[in-house]
Structure formats: C-alpha cells, structure tokens
Amino acid sequence: MIRILGIDPGTAIVGWAVVAYDEHTHTTCSVACGHIATARQTPPATRLTEIHTDLTDVITTYTPKEAAIEELFYFKNAKTVIGVAQARGVLLHACAVNNLAVAEYTPLQIKQALTGYGRATKKQIQTAVTHMLQLHHTPHLDDTADALAVALCHLQSRRLRSIIKSSSL
C-alpha cells in the first residue's frame, strides 16, 4: 500500500489530503484530509512557519511516501501570486526534508486526469473526487477537494507510467 500526499497550495488556506493505493487490489481510499489555515493579520514569515510546521505534522502523522502539489497558474493580482509562490516553496521544502518524492501538476492536468476535460468546474472536480474515493459527502472546502484531486491525479499518472514501463520490458 502506498500513501500519497496531495497539496493545494495557498497562503490563507492550504488544502492537504492523504490517499492510499493498494497495488494488489487496485483500490484507492482517502486516509485523511483537511486544511491548514493562517490568519490574514499574521506576519508573512509567521504564516509560512505555521504552514511548514503543520504540513510536517501531517507528514509525520500519516507517513506518505510521495507527494503531489498543484503548480501555480496565472493570477491577476501579483501580490497574490507572490504569497502563494512563497507558500509553495515552504510546502516543497517540508516535503523535501521529510524525504518525499514530489510531483507537480498543472490545474489543467489535474482536471483532465479526473474528468477527461481540462476546463472542468470546481463542482465537477468535487463530484469526481467524491465518486472515485466513494466518499459519503463532498469535502467541505474547495481546497481540501483540490488536494484530493491532486493526489488522485498523481496516482493516475503513476499507474500509467507503471503500465508503460511494464509494456516496454
């Protein structure tokens, strides 16, 4: 059984999710998911430290072996993109110091992997995540659903690479 940590980066809210894939039964399940929230009035350095500490706690608690993180996409507000980029750096660092292999996926790649359509809506992604993981309810926050989607995208990519590798032997 392999555990994958999915991360939806942000400054105010970071979505995270751990999914498990059993390579023998080819089943996937959600182990845990949630979010890291930081207060807007908190200084940026403190927020980034909180994000690093909280993600490290998630990694320690759920022991994933690999991580997948959403890449940045274009923001209209330069201040927003800088903050998210800083948070992304801290998240990548937390994964690296905890020896997780990290894969990065664009929003387009994630949407295509889950729905077959690169312009899928948030609602369509939530529906796909809920169905694929057989969840009893849709994740409460978009950020959490997005983190689950990132992890599922990575599993899909991982399985395809495995198939390609085994067929070329």
Side-chain angles (χ1 to χ4, degrees):
M1 176 124 2
I2 183 149
R3 288 186 177 194
I4 306 294
L5 171 63
I7 304 169
D8 179 43
T11 306
I13 299 175
V14 174
W16 64 268
V18 178
V19 298
Y21 176 69
D22 186 323
E23 294 171 324
H24 300 293
T25 63
H26 303 288
T27 56
T28 305
C29 67
S30 173
V31 174
C33 59
H35 67 280
I36 298 166
T38 62
R40 194 167 275 183
Q41 66 276 14
T42 304
T46 303
R47 290 175 88 173
L48 294 171
T49 300
E50 289 174 17
I51 289 169
H52 188 279
T53 300
D54 290 355
L55 188 68
T56 298
D57 289 346
V58 168
I59 293 167
T60 301
T61 301
Y62 298 105
T63 63
K65 297 297 177 212
E66 298 176 17
I69 188 167
E70 186 173 326
E71 288 186 356
L72 287 180
F73 57 94
Y74 175 77
F75 283 90
K76 292 179 184 174
N77 182 339
K79 186 175 180 182
T80 302
V81 77
I82 290 168
V84 175
Q86 290 172 333
R88 229 176 142 268
V90 166
L91 294 162
L92 289 168
H93 180 260
C95 290
V97 298
N98 285 284
N99 301 311
L100 300 183
V102 179
E104 301 177 62
Y105 300 95
T106 66
L108 180 71
Q109 289 172 311
I110 296 164
K111 291 174 181 181
Q112 283 179 325
L114 268 68
T115 68
Y117 178 58
R119 304 278 183 237
T121 65
K122 287 276 189 193
K123 179 69 175 157
Q124 290 169 320
I125 293 297
Q126 290 172 343
T127 299
V129 164
T130 302
H131 176 75
M132 292 170 82
L133 293 170
Q134 300 177 356
L135 301 175
H136 297 293
H137 55 80
T138 303
H140 178 66
L141 289 175
D142 288 348
D143 307 275
T144 304
D146 289 349
L148 285 163
V150 174
L152 289 170
C153 173
H154 181 63
L155 281 174
Q156 179 78 350
S157 176
R158 199 174 183 280
R159 281 186 237 145
L160 289 172
R161 283 192 310 272
S162 176
I163 290 168
I164 291 167
K165 182 180 177 182
S166 67
S167 68
S168 64
L169 294 178

Short mmCIF file of all heavy atoms in Angstrom, two decimals, residues 57-82:
data_model
loop_
_atom_site.label_atom_id
_atom_site.label_comp_id
_atom_site.label_asym_id
_atom_site.label_seq_id
_atom_site.Cartn_x
_atom_site.Cartn_y
_atom_site.Cartn_z
N ASP A 57 3.68 18.10 10.46
CA ASP A 57 2.87 17.28 11.37
C ASP A 57 2.00 16.30 10.58
O ASP A 57 1.86 15.13 10.98
CB ASP A 57 1.97 18.16 12.24
CG ASP A 57 2.75 18.94 13.30
OD1 ASP A 57 3.94 18.62 13.55
OD2 ASP A 57 2.16 19.89 13.87
N VAL A 58 1.43 16.74 9.47
CA VAL A 58 0.61 15.86 8.62
C VAL A 58 1.48 14.72 8.09
O VAL A 58 1.08 13.55 8.13
CB VAL A 58 -0.04 16.65 7.45
CG1 VAL A 58 -0.63 15.71 6.41
CG2 VAL A 58 -1.09 17.62 7.98
N ILE A 59 2.66 15.06 7.61
CA ILE A 59 3.58 14.04 7.06
C ILE A 59 3.98 13.04 8.14
O ILE A 59 3.98 11.83 7.91
CB ILE A 59 4.82 14.71 6.43
CG1 ILE A 59 4.41 15.51 5.18
CG2 ILE A 59 5.88 13.68 6.09
CD1 ILE A 59 5.48 16.45 4.65
N THR A 60 4.28 13.54 9.32
CA THR A 60 4.67 12.66 10.43
C THR A 60 3.52 11.76 10.85
O THR A 60 3.71 10.56 11.12
CB THR A 60 5.14 13.51 11.63
OG1 THR A 60 6.25 14.31 11.21
CG2 THR A 60 5.56 12.64 12.81
N THR A 61 2.33 12.29 10.89
CA THR A 61 1.15 11.53 11.32
C THR A 61 0.74 10.46 10.32
O THR A 61 0.45 9.32 10.69
CB THR A 61 -0.04 12.48 11.58
OG1 THR A 61 0.34 13.43 12.58
CG2 THR A 61 -1.28 11.71 12.03
N TYR A 62 0.72 10.79 9.02
CA TYR A 62 0.15 9.89 8.01
C TYR A 62 1.19 9.17 7.15
O TYR A 62 0.83 8.34 6.33
CB TYR A 62 -0.85 10.65 7.15
CG TYR A 62 -2.00 11.16 7.97
CD1 TYR A 62 -2.09 12.51 8.30
CD2 TYR A 62 -2.96 10.29 8.47
CE1 TYR A 62 -3.13 12.98 9.09
CE2 TYR A 62 -4.00 10.76 9.26
CZ TYR A 62 -4.08 12.10 9.57
OH TYR A 62 -5.11 12.56 10.35
N THR A 63 2.44 9.46 7.30
CA THR A 63 3.57 8.79 6.65
C THR A 63 3.41 8.51 5.15
O THR A 63 3.59 7.37 4.71
CB THR A 63 3.95 7.48 7.38
OG1 THR A 63 2.86 6.57 7.32
CG2 THR A 63 4.36 7.75 8.82
N PRO A 64 3.10 9.53 4.36
CA PRO A 64 3.08 9.30 2.91
C PRO A 64 4.49 9.07 2.40
O PRO A 64 5.47 9.47 3.05
CB PRO A 64 2.50 10.61 2.36
CG PRO A 64 2.90 11.63 3.37
CD PRO A 64 2.85 10.92 4.70
N LYS A 65 4.61 8.42 1.26
CA LYS A 65 5.91 8.17 0.64
C LYS A 65 6.17 9.11 -0.53
O LYS A 65 7.30 9.31 -0.93
CB LYS A 65 6.02 6.72 0.16
CG LYS A 65 5.93 5.72 1.28
CD LYS A 65 7.09 5.86 2.24
CE LYS A 65 6.96 4.91 3.41
NZ LYS A 65 7.51 5.42 4.63
N GLU A 66 5.11 9.66 -1.08
CA GLU A 66 5.22 10.57 -2.22
C GLU A 66 4.26 11.73 -1.99
O GLU A 66 3.29 11.60 -1.24
CB GLU A 66 4.85 9.86 -3.53
CG GLU A 66 5.77 8.71 -3.87
CD GLU A 66 5.34 7.95 -5.12
OE1 GLU A 66 4.53 8.49 -5.91
OE2 GLU A 66 5.80 6.82 -5.29
N ALA A 67 4.55 12.84 -2.66
CA ALA A 67 3.68 14.00 -2.58
C ALA A 67 3.43 14.53 -3.97
O ALA A 67 4.24 14.36 -4.88
CB ALA A 67 4.31 15.09 -1.71
N ALA A 68 2.28 15.16 -4.14
CA ALA A 68 1.94 15.82 -5.39
C ALA A 68 1.39 17.19 -5.02
O ALA A 68 0.60 17.33 -4.09
CB ALA A 68 0.91 15.02 -6.17
N ILE A 69 1.83 18.20 -5.75
CA ILE A 69 1.43 19.57 -5.45
C ILE A 69 0.98 20.25 -6.73
O ILE A 69 1.52 20.00 -7.81
CB ILE A 69 2.59 20.35 -4.77
CG1 ILE A 69 2.12 21.71 -4.28
CG2 ILE A 69 3.81 20.44 -5.67
CD1 ILE A 69 3.10 22.40 -3.33
N GLU A 70 -0.02 21.09 -6.60
CA GLU A 70 -0.51 21.84 -7.75
C GLU A 70 0.47 22.95 -8.09
O GLU A 70 0.96 23.66 -7.21
CB GLU A 70 -1.89 22.43 -7.46
CG GLU A 70 -2.51 23.10 -8.66
CD GLU A 70 -3.94 23.53 -8.41
OE1 GLU A 70 -4.67 22.83 -7.68
OE2 GLU A 70 -4.33 24.58 -8.95
N GLU A 71 0.77 23.08 -9.38
CA GLU A 71 1.62 24.17 -9.85
C GLU A 71 0.82 25.47 -9.85
O GLU A 71 -0.41 25.46 -9.90
CB GLU A 71 2.14 23.88 -11.26
CG GLU A 71 3.18 22.80 -11.30
CD GLU A 71 3.78 22.62 -12.68
OE1 GLU A 71 3.34 23.28 -13.65
OE2 GLU A 71 4.69 21.80 -12.79
N LEU A 72 1.54 26.57 -9.82
CA LEU A 72 0.88 27.87 -9.89
C LEU A 72 0.31 28.10 -11.27
O LEU A 72 0.88 27.67 -12.27
CB LEU A 72 1.89 28.99 -9.59
CG LEU A 72 2.32 29.13 -8.15
CD1 LEU A 72 3.33 30.27 -8.03
CD2 LEU A 72 1.15 29.40 -7.24
N PHE A 73 -0.79 28.80 -11.30
CA PHE A 73 -1.33 29.26 -12.57
C PHE A 73 -1.38 30.77 -12.50
O PHE A 73 -1.15 31.36 -11.46
CB PHE A 73 -2.70 28.64 -12.86
CG PHE A 73 -3.73 28.91 -11.78
CD1 PHE A 73 -4.60 29.97 -11.88
CD2 PHE A 73 -3.81 28.10 -10.65
CE1 PHE A 73 -5.53 30.23 -10.90
CE2 PHE A 73 -4.74 28.35 -9.66
CZ PHE A 73 -5.60 29.41 -9.78
N TYR A 74 -1.66 31.39 -13.60
CA TYR A 74 -1.64 32.85 -13.68
C TYR A 74 -2.66 33.48 -12.75
O TYR A 74 -3.82 33.10 -12.74
CB TYR A 74 -1.90 33.29 -15.12
CG TYR A 74 -2.00 34.78 -15.26
CD1 TYR A 74 -0.86 35.57 -15.25
CD2 TYR A 74 -3.23 35.40 -15.39
CE1 TYR A 74 -0.94 36.94 -15.36
CE2 TYR A 74 -3.32 36.78 -15.52
CZ TYR A 74 -2.18 37.54 -15.49
OH TYR A 74 -2.27 38.90 -15.60
N PHE A 75 -2.22 34.43 -11.98
CA PHE A 75 -3.09 35.22 -11.13
C PHE A 75 -3.13 36.64 -11.68
O PHE A 75 -2.12 37.15 -12.17
CB PHE A 75 -2.53 35.32 -9.69
CG PHE A 75 -2.74 34.09 -8.86
CD1 PHE A 75 -1.79 33.08 -8.85
CD2 PHE A 75 -3.87 33.95 -8.09
CE1 PHE A 75 -1.96 31.96 -8.07
CE2 PHE A 75 -4.05 32.83 -7.30
CZ PHE A 75 -3.09 31.84 -7.29
N LYS A 76 -4.27 37.31 -11.57
CA LYS A 76 -4.36 38.70 -12.00
C LYS A 76 -3.67 39.62 -11.01
O LYS A 76 -3.18 40.67 -11.37
CB LYS A 76 -5.84 39.10 -12.15
CG LYS A 76 -6.52 38.40 -13.30
CD LYS A 76 -7.97 38.78 -13.42
CE LYS A 76 -8.62 37.98 -14.52
NZ LYS A 76 -10.03 38.19 -14.60
N ASN A 77 -3.60 39.20 -9.76
CA ASN A 77 -3.03 40.01 -8.70
C ASN A 77 -1.61 39.52 -8.39
O ASN A 77 -1.43 38.42 -7.88
CB ASN A 77 -3.93 39.92 -7.46
CG ASN A 77 -3.45 40.78 -6.31
OD1 ASN A 77 -2.28 41.16 -6.24
ND2 ASN A 77 -4.36 41.09 -5.41
N ALA A 78 -0.62 40.34 -8.69
CA ALA A 78 0.78 39.95 -8.47
C ALA A 78 1.07 39.68 -7.00
O ALA A 78 1.85 38.78 -6.67
CB ALA A 78 1.72 41.03 -9.00
N LYS A 79 0.43 40.41 -6.12
CA LYS A 79 0.65 40.20 -4.68
C LYS A 79 0.19 38.80 -4.27
O LYS A 79 0.84 38.14 -3.47
CB LYS A 79 -0.09 41.28 -3.88
CG LYS A 79 0.20 41.23 -2.40
CD LYS A 79 -0.47 42.38 -1.69
CE LYS A 79 -0.15 42.30 -0.20
NZ LYS A 79 -0.81 43.34 0.56
N THR A 80 -0.91 38.35 -4.83
CA THR A 80 -1.42 37.01 -4.53
C THR A 80 -0.46 35.94 -5.01
O THR A 80 -0.16 34.99 -4.29
CB THR A 80 -2.81 36.81 -5.18
OG1 THR A 80 -3.69 37.82 -4.70
CG2 THR A 80 -3.37 35.45 -4.86
N VAL A 81 0.02 36.07 -6.23
CA VAL A 81 0.91 35.04 -6.79
C VAL A 81 2.22 34.96 -6.01
O VAL A 81 2.76 33.87 -5.80
CB VAL A 81 1.15 35.24 -8.30
CG1 VAL A 81 2.12 36.34 -8.59
CG2 VAL A 81 1.63 33.96 -8.94
N ILE A 82 2.72 36.07 -5.54
CA ILE A 82 3.96 36.06 -4.76
C ILE A 82 3.75 35.31 -3.44
O ILE A 82 4.55 34.46 -3.07
CB ILE A 82 4.48 37.50 -4.52
CG1 ILE A 82 4.99 38.08 -5.84
CG2 ILE A 82 5.57 37.52 -3.45
CD1 ILE A 82 5.26 39.57 -5.80
#
